[in-house]
Amino acid sequence: MRQPTGSAYFMDDQHPPLARHTLAILVDNEPGVLARVIGLFSGRGYNIDSLTVSEVSLETHLSRITIVTTGPAGVVDQIKTQLDRLVPVHSVVDLTLTGKSLERELMLIKVRGKGDQRAEALRLAEAFRARVIDATIESFIFEITGKPDKLDQFIVLMAPLGLVEVSRTGVAAIARGPEGMTG
């Protein structure tokens, strides 16, 4: 253990632990709302790992924003508090804290290959329950849905087999149980 010297140069670096958070935000569907929500993250230098937005109520013109981010719990709490204060925001829920949420993501992935590589790509796709949605003599496009880490694993396995291109939707998440988000 280091001896205290009174100098900041010898202090141990202490950083709060980082955690992954999935936030569900119910907002008015109007211009500029998304930019204001995103600004709270960028203003603090935190990256958004996944972002999905869609209108969820035609009658009340509400949209749901689902954001996945990684950061210290205190900073995420601060962002949630400030999101709650934005006028067009109706509800903010940290689905990570509920412990009862489901997350899924859709991915389209193009793989080029012939012979053994082609057969191996098809075998792995079947094991991951990916569907072939387009095929040519030299390539496939697979559609796969699941948790983000499952999709990450599929990408890693397809890389040496001729991975060409990946398109992902971002995480869609919802809490389990009979209750919905308030709005």
Side-chain angles (χ1 to χ4, degrees):
M1 185 162 162
R2 292 186 211 168
Q3 296 297 320
T5 63
S7 170
Y9 291 110
F10 297 102
M11 296 177 81
D12 287 332
D13 286 338
Q14 292 197 5
H15 299 284
L18 300 179
R20 181 181 178 274
H21 291 266
T22 302
L23 304 177
I25 308 159
L26 201 57
V27 300
D28 288 337
N29 186 8
E30 59 186 44
V33 173
L34 182 60
R36 292 169 64 190
V37 169
I38 301 311
L40 291 176
F41 288 84
S42 62
R44 281 156 192 75
Y46 285 96
N47 190 40
I48 293 175
D49 301 323
S50 174
L51 170 69
T52 58
V53 184
S54 183
E55 188 171 41
V56 293
S57 174
L58 296 174
E59 298 84 34
T60 57
H61 301 287
L62 293 177
S63 289
R64 182 178 177 129
I65 301 172
T66 304
I67 296 176
V68 178
T69 190
T70 303
V75 173
V76 173
D77 286 340
Q78 205 176 44
I79 289 171
K80 287 183 339 197
T81 300
Q82 290 180 349
L83 282 169
D84 270 330
R85 291 183 188 150
L86 288 178
V87 172
V89 173
H90 293 268
S91 178
V92 179
V93 176
D94 188 342
L95 294 172
T96 310
L97 298 180
T98 67
K100 305 182 304 181
S101 64
L102 298 173
E103 292 185 2
R104 294 295 182 268
E105 186 174 6
L106 171 74
M107 176 174 70
L108 302 178
I109 182 168
K110 186 184 297 184
V111 180
R112 177 184 314 131
K114 292 184 178 182
D116 291 343
Q117 286 183 323
R118 186 176 176 90
E120 181 64 7
L122 283 170
R123 189 187 67 73
L124 287 169
E126 186 177 339
F128 275 77
R129 295 186 180 143
R131 293 183 329 120
V132 175
I133 60 170
D134 186 60
T136 68
I137 295 171
E138 296 182 2
S139 68
F140 290 109
I141 297 177
F142 297 108
E143 175 187 65
I144 182 170
T145 305
K147 294 182 180 179
D149 52 342
K150 173 187 173 182
L151 277 54
D152 293 340
Q153 291 173 350
F154 192 67
I155 291 170
V156 168
L157 291 172
M158 289 295 150
L161 299 176
L163 176 66
V164 175
E165 188 176 1
V166 174
S167 178
R168 295 173 79 154
T169 60
V171 172
I174 195 165
R176 289 182 149 168
E179 301 84 22
M181 286 184 70
T182 58

